[in-house]
Amino acid sequence: MSFLNLENKRILVMGVANRKSVAWATTKALEEAGAEVIHSVRSEARLESLQKLLGDRKAYICDVELPEQITALAEQVKADYGALDGIVHSIAFANYSEGFKPFHETVRKDFLQATSISAFSLVEVANAFKPILNEEASVVSIGISSTDVTAENYGYMAPIKAALETCSYNLAKSFGADTRVRFNTVNAGPLKTSASAGIPGYLESYLYAEKLTFRKQNLTTQEVANTAVFLLSSASSGINGQGIVVNAGMDRNYFDKEVVRLAMRPE
């Protein structure tokens, strides 16, 4: 038995977008630890685009914006596998239908849609899969480490990611009434992903974040995935209802002398 004890465990990973995504890095790390990974993706088109990447891995289609598809996914997994040892929720979506705006101008329908997909879907997934989660299963969501920081170029997603964290904590309490299923979030610092590439000004924020890390090197997707794998394993059995910050110390280094020097440099 290994330290992680993930051999022959079955994990559902939701949200693989491409080979740069946290979900894919988590898949590879789980498989290296001996786990069997199955997937769900949002559409037939996404599944086709991932065909080469996923190979012969089992993959289902589930658009979490549609509750009936979540229910159907749970039923399909139950029919095919019977039970799960864990779920990775790596799903986020934001439709800036009118472009990026100041937060007070957020479009209601965009905010509600993004909340439904990025946060409340965790609740619906947990509810649908509760009957087939093994007694000590683990559910891990991928969040961000800066939900309490205002970032102009992140729009309304920071409060929605905060909602995801809160949903996770409350699910831990709710499930705790009659199971030992755990819920935790991995709160990651800025990453180089395909999704982040579409955020205006993200590169500047990414480079700034790097200067704030203690090691002067930004987080890697693999480091986030490794934390998720640890939380899925029995090695983390004492961790429940938590948000694990993984950002190389970025949030502890606001007064780094180099950053202060650059900020105070005369125009």
Side-chain angles (χ1 to χ4, degrees):
M1 181 185 297
S2 69
F3 172 70
L4 294 175
N5 191 27
L6 282 167
E7 293 84 355
N8 302 314
K9 300 294 185 181
R10 183 175 294 119
I11 311 293
L12 171 66
V13 174
M14 307 180 73
V16 170
N18 50 59
R19 65 177 61 256
K20 292 183 179 181
S21 64
V22 172
W24 180 245
T26 303
T27 293
K28 298 298 288 180
L30 282 168
E31 290 177 341
E32 288 172 8
E36 177 185 7
V37 182
I38 59 177
H39 294 87
S40 74
V41 298
R42 71 179 185 184
S43 66
E44 188 70 45
R46 176 56 56 84
L47 183 58
E48 289 178 8
S49 73
L50 292 170
Q51 192 169 38
K52 184 176 180 180
L53 186 66
L54 293 179
D56 59 0
R57 296 174 179 86
K58 182 67 173 177
Y60 302 89
I61 295 171
C62 179
D63 182 345
V64 297
E65 193 174 4
L66 304 173
E68 63 271 20
Q69 290 198 18
I70 297 175
T71 301
L73 174 63
E75 292 172 350
Q76 288 175 312
V77 172
K78 180 180 180 181
D80 292 343
Y81 295 99
L84 288 177
D85 298 294
I87 298 174
V88 177
H89 180 283
S90 185
I91 300 170
F93 176 80
N95 176 24
Y96 297 101
S97 63
E98 298 180 12
F100 282 82
K101 292 175 170 287
F103 182 72
H104 64 278
E105 295 179 15
T106 298
V107 178
R108 179 187 179 91
K109 64 180 177 63
D110 290 351
F111 187 88
L112 294 179
Q113 181 189 35
T115 302
S116 172
I117 296 172
S118 307
F120 190 69
S121 65
L122 176 65
V123 180
E124 294 182 310
V125 166
N127 186 46
F129 279 88
K130 188 173 188 289
I132 64 169
L133 286 172
N134 285 327
E135 177 65 13
E136 299 198 8
S138 175
V139 180
V140 177
S141 303
I142 308 301
I144 60 173
S145 67
S146 51
T147 57
D148 58 349
V149 175
T150 54
E152 291 178 329
N153 62 349
Y154 203 51
Y156 51 72
M157 282 304 291
I160 291 175
K161 283 292 191 178
L164 172 67
E165 287 183 49
T166 303
C167 285
S168 178
Y169 307 157
N170 281 274
L171 284 166
K173 172 65 174 177
S174 184
F175 269 58
D178 58 356
T179 79
R180 292 172 65 90
V181 176
R182 297 180 294 117
F183 289 81
N184 294 289
T185 64
V186 180
N187 301 338
L191 294 168
K192 266 187 185 176
T193 63
S194 297
S196 65
I199 301 174
Y202 185 83
L203 177 59
E204 289 81 1
S205 296
Y206 179 84
L207 294 174
Y208 171 68
E210 187 164 58
K211 292 182 180 299
L212 285 177
T213 64
F214 292 134
R215 66 191 187 187
K216 305 303 179 186
Q217 178 185 352
N218 256 331
L219 198 64
T220 68
T221 303
Q222 191 61 58
E223 287 173 318
V224 177
N226 291 345
T227 306
V229 170
F230 170 68
L231 290 173
L232 288 163
S233 78
S234 60
S236 63
S237 61
I239 302 175
N240 193 13
Q242 302 299 315
I244 307 300
V245 174
V246 185
N247 65 6
M250 180 188 74
D251 60 331
R252 302 298 188 208
N253 201 25
Y254 294 127
F255 296 105
D256 180 87
K257 63 182 181 181
E258 180 186 354
V259 175
V260 171
R261 178 181 62 78
L262 290 170
M264 300 306 294
R265 186 171 58 187
E267 294 291 339

